[in-house]
Amino acid sequence: MHAGVGDEIQVHGRTVGSAEQHGEILEVRGPDGAPPYLVRFADGHEGLVYPGPDCEVLTHAD
């Protein structure tokens, strides 16, 4: 998985009824766009994300 600052990450719910979360990637800490990513989620909290198979990165073309 590769991402850049400003891209969006979506974390799909893992169980029935779990809400999907999405946020903006603020910082890429791995080499060449690799994880982990510092993310600000829609509810305002920030966290370090190591994306798994339930995650999707939406890149923004410049």
Side-chain angles (χ1 to χ4, degrees):
M1 182 172 291
H2 290 75
V5 173
D7 289 347
E8 183 178 338
I9 191 164
Q10 293 182 339
V11 182
H12 303 289
R14 294 185 212 180
T15 59
V16 174
S18 293
E20 183 175 275
Q21 294 183 339
H22 64 278
E24 179 184 359
I25 296 175
L26 302 176
E27 186 178 324
V28 177
R29 295 196 177 173
D32 299 321
Y37 308 124
L38 181 63
V39 176
R40 179 181 302 128
F41 290 95
D43 65 0
H45 85 273
E46 295 180 6
L48 196 59
V49 176
Y50 291 83
D54 59 339
C55 295
E56 180 178 5
V57 172
L58 304 173
T59 59
H60 296 279
D62 291 294

